[in-house]
Amino acid sequence: MKKVTTPLTALPPTGMGAVDKAWDAVSVSFDRFCLTAGIEALGTMMEQDAEQACGARHARSDGRRGHRWGRTQGKIGFHAGKVAVERPRVRDLEGHELALPSWERAVAEDWLGKWAMNLMLINVSTRKFRRAVRLPEGDVPAPAGAGVSKSAASRHFVALSAARMKEWMGADLSGLDIMVVQIDGIHISEHLVLVAALGIDSEGFKHPLGLMEGATEHSAVVQALIDDLIERGLDPAVPRLFIIDGSKALSKAIRRSFGCHTPIQRCQIHKARNIMERLSPALHASVRRALRQAWELDDAAKAEKLIRNLAQRLERDAPGVSKSILEGLDEILTVSRLGLPAELRRSLACTNIIENMMGTVRRVTRNVKRWSSPSMALRWTAAAMHEAKKGFRRLKAFRQLPALRAALAAHYEKETNNHAVAQKAKAA
């Protein structure tokens, strides 16, 4: 009969010095044990770095790069605040300070800053930061300068979010095969609007592309965002589909930069919602049914005819709404005119993807009571957009994206030929 043995958990033997002292602390607090063991391990690593630079103590070495220069106190951050650590000092043969690699890596990790940013992105206020990282009944003290106060948590978030936003806003986009771009704005305050862009690549993955601030969702703001994207590598000559919520400022800026024949799809959900808000409840069911039938038709000509018939029926009961239905009709049926498959058409006929990201921005920023500057709004929104990216899923119809590429190529070729014919006719 096979004998089954279960290995026992290995405990540190007695007489191990620093590790033995750290293990003794586990009886008081496991948190203190982990902290003590980590500090002792870091101290050992720094002593090894000092020995590599200076050689063994009290020994002469021809290959040494420096000599010991006493010890000093420093602070490093971990998830529950800053702690004081004693470290050796080393100077080179010319008297300049030599950095210890293990200490530099420990300081560069900035666990406290990352922890603060993560907690603020999940709506933990700065006032509760100390309680979130240290248990009230815990045995690790939080003295002055531990970096867990309200103002310290705010400074951590400002520094890290600003650094990440700068890196993201300067990232090269030329390596992304972006096929679809969605642009939308979010009102931060009465006089501050942020316009964001999100891209979908040829594999169906979603990427936050850029962000720009302005007083209103004006074409100049959108133009500034598009110019920034082009400068960072978004080639305007590549065929793409743009999806917007219906703002004329967005269409104007897109066509100015990417060409007057660039396919633009207006959000069908926004269009239907705007129509319903102006109709009496008695007409909602029939109008919604007619619009849904038009959106689902494969033939763009039949869909357009159906919508025009709907507008004609509403001329007597709601003449203003009748005109609104026909407004922007060309852009409403762009995905149908491109001949896309039904599943892909449903995914690209609305701005749900970027709206979902904007919902995350609103959730993340709900604790902010006062926006002190546009730069603050940019930092928070950029951090929230990357928080939303963590939950992005692949486009449901990603396998049908080759059909979109072929449709865009055919559309651009057709429009280019038509433009050339028109120019020849004009010249003649």
Side-chain angles (χ1 to χ4, degrees):
M1 182 176 179
K2 186 177 180 180
K3 186 177 180 181
V4 179
T5 59
T6 303
L8 298 175
T9 303
L11 300 179
T14 57
M16 292 183 63
V19 177
D20 187 42
K21 182 173 65 174
W23 184 255
D24 290 340
V26 77
S27 60
V28 181
S29 165
F30 185 74
D31 195 20
R32 179 178 286 277
F33 160 71
C34 294
L35 179 60
T36 305
I39 292 175
E40 295 294 345
L42 178 60
T44 302
M45 293 167 62
M46 290 190 292
E47 288 294 344
Q48 291 176 354
D49 290 341
E51 185 171 337
Q52 288 181 359
C54 308
R57 287 184 177 274
H58 312 299
R60 298 185 178 276
S61 174
D62 296 336
R64 66 176 184 173
R65 295 181 291 110
H67 52 86
R68 291 176 175 82
W69 197 261
R71 307 183 72 82
T72 186
Q73 288 279 345
K75 287 186 177 181
I76 59 172
F78 75 120
H79 74 277
K82 293 181 180 180
V83 291
V85 177
E86 187 179 61
R87 62 181 178 89
R89 294 183 66 186
V90 176
R91 290 191 175 184
D92 61 19
L93 301 179
E94 297 179 358
H96 302 109
E97 191 84 12
L98 278 179
L100 301 177
S102 54
W103 175 257
E104 294 293 318
R105 286 196 299 269
V107 173
E109 283 293 338
D110 189 23
W111 284 110
L112 185 57
K114 296 175 183 177
W115 199 264
M117 186 167 183
N118 181 65
L119 288 176
M120 294 180 74
L121 289 175
I122 58 175
N123 295 119
V124 175
S125 66
T126 54
R127 292 181 178 86
K128 297 180 180 178
F129 180 68
R130 181 193 299 268
R131 182 177 175 183
V133 298
R134 292 180 184 266
L135 292 175
E137 65 276 10
D139 195 45
V140 179
V148 293
S149 64
K150 172 181 176 295
S151 57
S154 180
R155 287 194 298 270
H156 294 317
F157 179 80
V158 170
L160 194 54
S161 61
R164 290 187 178 180
M165 185 186 73
K166 183 179 180 181
E167 180 183 0
W168 171 56
M169 297 286 276
D172 184 19
L173 301 178
S174 59
L176 299 177
D177 184 17
I178 300 297
M179 295 182 61
V180 181
V181 178
Q182 294 195 4
I183 302 178
D184 196 12
I186 180 171
H187 289 260
I188 299 296
S189 63
E190 184 180 357
H191 301 293
L192 180 60
V193 175
L194 299 182
V195 181
L198 180 144
I200 304 173
D201 64 20
S202 58
E203 299 295 326
F205 295 106
K206 304 158 190 174
H207 307 270
L209 298 178
L211 191 63
M212 191 63 62
E213 82 283 358
T216 60
E217 200 172 334
H218 192 268
S219 60
V221 181
V222 184
Q223 189 65 54
L225 172 63
I226 291 176
D227 291 343
D228 177 67
L229 297 180
I230 293 175
E231 185 179 350
R232 289 165 52 200
L234 192 69
D235 189 356
V238 175
R240 292 186 182 87
L241 172 66
F242 286 82
I243 307 174
I244 61 176
D245 62 357
S247 170
K248 294 181 179 179
L250 295 179
S251 297
K252 181 179 178 182
I254 291 170
R255 296 195 188 281
R256 183 186 300 160
S257 298
F258 294 92
C260 59
H261 302 301
T262 300
I264 298 177
Q265 171 65 44
R266 289 182 61 175
C267 179
Q268 294 176 351
I269 294 178
H270 277 83
K271 184 68 173 180
R273 186 185 303 153
N274 294 339
I275 293 172
M276 294 302 162
E277 289 175 352
R278 300 175 59 184
L279 286 174
S280 63
L283 297 172
H284 282 188
S286 61
V287 173
R288 187 180 292 111
R289 185 167 53 252
L291 290 175
R292 187 182 299 114
Q293 184 180 356
W295 304 154
E296 292 177 357
L297 284 175
D298 295 331
D299 192 329
K302 292 182 179 179
E304 182 177 346
K305 184 178 180 180
L306 184 61
I307 294 176
R308 291 188 182 277
N309 290 340
L310 174 63
Q312 187 175 0
R313 292 204 315 266
L314 291 175
E315 281 185 356
R316 183 175 61 87
D317 297 327
V321 179
S322 176
K323 294 180 181 179
S324 176
I325 291 176
L326 299 178
E327 190 269 328
L329 185 57
D330 292 339
E331 294 180 352
I332 286 292
L333 298 174
T334 297
V335 290
S336 298
R337 289 195 175 88
L338 289 174
L340 302 182
E343 186 180 3
L344 183 61
R345 194 168 62 241
R346 282 193 292 270
S347 298
L348 302 181
C350 61
T351 56
N352 281 357
I353 298 173
I354 196 168
E355 288 287 347
N356 178 272
M357 184 179 71
M358 292 304 187
T360 302
V361 172
R362 294 184 184 94
R363 176 186 61 79
V364 168
T365 60
R366 68 186 181 191
N367 283 342
V368 180
K369 307 304 180 187
R370 186 178 70 87
W371 298 100
S372 60
S373 64
S375 61
M376 177 185 177
L378 283 171
R379 284 190 293 98
W380 273 89
T381 305
M385 289 170 66
H386 281 273
E387 178 71 10
K389 185 180 179 180
K390 298 175 184 177
F392 281 168
R393 296 182 180 181
R394 206 172 183 180
L395 191 72
K396 286 184 178 180
F398 71 92
R399 291 184 179 88
Q400 298 176 351
L401 284 173
L404 173 62
R405 188 186 295 279
L408 290 173
H411 171 80
Y412 271 73
E413 183 179 0
K414 177 182 176 181
E415 294 297 337
T416 302
N417 292 337
N418 291 343
H419 180 71
V421 171
Q423 289 294 332
K424 288 181 180 179
K426 184 178 179 181

